[in-house]
Amino acid sequence: MFRRALLAAVPAVALWWAAPASAQGSLNLYCSAQVEWCQAAANAFQRETGIRVSMSQKGSGEVLAQIRAEAQNPRGDVWYGGTGDPHLQAAEDNLSAEYRSPMLDQLHDWAQRQARDSRYRTVGIYAGALGFGFNTELLARRNITPPACWRDLLEPRFRNEIQMANPQSSGTAYVMIATLVQLMGEDPAFEYLRNLHRNINAYPRSGTAPIKAVARGETGVSISFVHDAVTERLGGFPVANAVPCEGTGYEIGSMSIIRGSRNERNARRFYDWALTPAAQALGAETKQFQTPSNRNASVPAEAPQMSQIRLIEYDFARYGTSAERRRLIERWDREVNSLPR
C-alpha cells in the first residue's frame, strides 16, 4: 500500500489557500517533526501567503498534553507532524476540529484512512517504519555485533548500550510499545520490556534524542524510526540502521487543526498547503526521509522503501485511543520504568 503511484500528469487543482503573499493574519503552529523541517515549513508558508507564523517544536506526547491543558483557551492553531496515535487521541477527546481538505483525494490510502478513522479530525502527512539505529564505529571498537532482530536487544552484549525515548512524552516510544504488544501479545511484550530495561542507559523525552545520541557516540544503539538514522548518516555521522527481522510497526505522521483555533481560516489554509507535493518536498530538502502522503510527491531516493520492510498490520484504530495509550503507558511506568538498572 506504500507503493507510489506513477502518474503521467499531476492534476491542476485550484485551491483557495493559493492567495497572494500580501495576505494578512497569523498562525500559531505546534510542530512535532524535526525542528529543521518545522522551521522550513513555517518559513515557506509565511513567504507564500504573508501570514505570520509562530512555531514551537515539541515531541508529540508533549504537544498532546499542552493541547489538553489549553483546551478551554486554545493558543495553537495547527499541530503539524509527529506520530499519528496522539493525533487520534486528540480527535477522540474532541481536541481537534473536523476538516475535509480538498486535497484528500490526492493522498495515499493510508493517509485517507487516518482521516476517516478520526472522523476527519486529523490526516496523514508522511509514514515511516520503526527500527534500530547504531553507531558503527562505536560498536566496532567494542566488538559488538549490531542488532538485526528485536530479540538481539536483550543480549548481554548490549548492556547499557541502548536508548529508547520515554513513552510518557514520546510518540515514537509509544509506537514501539504498541508494536511489541501486537507482535508478541501483551504479557510477553511487557516481559520483553522488563528484560530490555537492563540494557537501557537512558529514556530521554524526545523520540529523536536516542538517534542523536547514537550519532554523537554517546550510546551504541537506539530504537528509532529508520528515516531518522538515514538523516544522521547523511549528516556525516557513522550511523547505520536495521529493521527488526520479526517485523515492525510504523507511524503515520499526522496533522490536525486544534479545536477552538483563534485563526481557523489560516489554519485551514496551512492544512491544505501542507498536503501539496511542493510542501511535502520540504521534508527531503531538510534531510528528513519519510514517505510523503501525497501520491504525486516525489519519494526521496534515500528514504527507506516501505514496500520492502516487513510491516505488521498496525491497528491504529485501537492503539490510537486515549484509553489504550494511557493504560499501556501506565503499565510501562509501573512495571518497567520503576525497575532499578
Side-chain angles (χ1 to χ4, degrees):
M1 64 179 171
F2 289 95
R3 189 176 298 135
R4 183 169 65 93
L6 297 176
L7 302 181
V10 177
V13 180
L15 294 174
W16 61 287
W17 55 261
S22 60
Q24 301 297 312
S26 62
L27 181 80
N28 293 314
L29 182 67
Y30 293 164
C31 188
S32 297
Q34 288 273 30
V35 65
E36 297 86 357
W37 190 354
C38 296
Q39 195 61 63
N43 291 345
F45 182 72
Q46 181 169 290
R47 184 171 58 249
E48 292 179 27
T49 65
I51 293 170
R52 299 183 305 277
V53 179
S54 175
M55 187 277 291
S56 61
Q57 193 272 347
K58 295 180 181 178
S60 54
E62 290 181 283
V63 172
L64 177 59
Q66 182 175 354
I67 291 172
R68 281 203 175 110
E70 296 172 356
Q72 299 306 312
N73 184 26
R75 298 180 181 179
D77 299 309
V78 176
W79 179 12
Y80 178 72
T83 53
D85 293 329
H87 284 267
L88 289 170
Q89 290 143 30
E92 178 191 0
D93 293 345
N94 201 28
L95 296 172
S96 49
E98 179 179 342
Y99 179 55
R100 302 191 187 207
S101 171
M103 295 296 297
L104 276 173
D105 62 359
Q106 289 195 29
L107 306 184
H108 285 290
D109 290 343
W110 47 267
Q112 295 191 42
R113 185 174 66 249
Q114 187 83 336
R116 291 193 300 271
D117 287 349
S118 67
R119 304 182 312 281
Y120 298 93
R121 292 170 181 260
T122 193
V123 69
I125 54 176
Y126 58 77
L130 187 68
F132 315 134
F134 49 92
N135 187 302
T136 55
E137 293 180 358
L138 185 62
L139 293 190
R141 284 201 304 271
R142 296 177 180 174
N143 198 28
I144 297 174
T145 302
C149 305
W150 288 112
R151 61 178 176 267
D152 294 342
L153 299 186
L154 303 185
E155 294 293 328
R157 70 182 188 268
F158 292 115
R159 178 71 174 170
N160 293 322
E161 290 288 354
I162 302 171
Q163 280 192 23
M164 66 171 279
N166 189 317
Q168 295 173 331
S169 56
S170 165
T172 304
Y174 175 71
V175 169
M176 183 258 197
I177 292 173
T179 292
L180 293 176
V181 168
Q182 292 170 82
L183 264 174
M184 303 175 180
E186 185 169 330
D187 287 342
F190 274 88
E191 181 180 1
Y192 175 93
L193 289 165
R194 289 191 293 270
N195 290 331
L196 178 65
H197 182 78
R198 294 194 296 263
N199 290 348
I200 298 287
N201 58 54
Y203 293 107
R205 294 186 60 81
S206 166
T208 58
I211 190 63
K212 291 184 181 298
V214 164
R216 294 189 299 263
E218 297 171 358
T219 192
V221 179
S222 69
I223 299 170
S224 310
F225 289 113
V226 291
H227 51 256
D228 291 331
V230 173
T231 297
E232 298 300 333
R233 181 167 65 252
L234 293 176
F237 295 99
V239 173
N241 60 271
V243 178
C245 67
E246 302 95 338
T248 194
Y250 61 100
E251 67 167 338
I252 296 178
S254 299
M255 174 174 58
S256 307
I257 295 175
I258 297 169
R259 186 172 180 268
S261 162
R262 300 175 186 179
N263 301 293
E264 186 171 0
R265 182 175 183 275
N266 289 342
R268 292 185 175 193
R269 293 179 69 182
F270 181 90
Y271 196 99
D272 293 339
W273 172 85
L275 295 176
T276 64
Q280 295 195 351
L282 293 171
E285 290 175 15
T286 56
K287 301 189 184 306
Q288 312 302 316
F289 298 107
Q290 292 92 326
T291 299
S293 67
N294 191 304
R295 294 191 305 272
N296 304 315
S298 297
V299 179
E302 301 88 347
Q305 298 302 305
M306 300 291 283
S307 61
Q308 299 174 15
I309 295 173
R310 186 177 181 182
L311 298 171
I312 67 170
E313 290 292 329
Y314 194 102
D315 189 344
F316 291 95
R318 174 176 178 180
Y319 292 95
T321 64
S322 295
E324 191 69 359
R325 178 181 184 274
R326 182 169 53 250
R327 186 182 70 81
L328 289 177
I329 291 175
E330 287 176 353
R331 183 172 181 181
W332 176 85
D333 194 48
R334 183 173 63 251
E335 298 184 14
V336 180
N337 196 35
S338 62
L339 294 174
R341 285 199 296 274

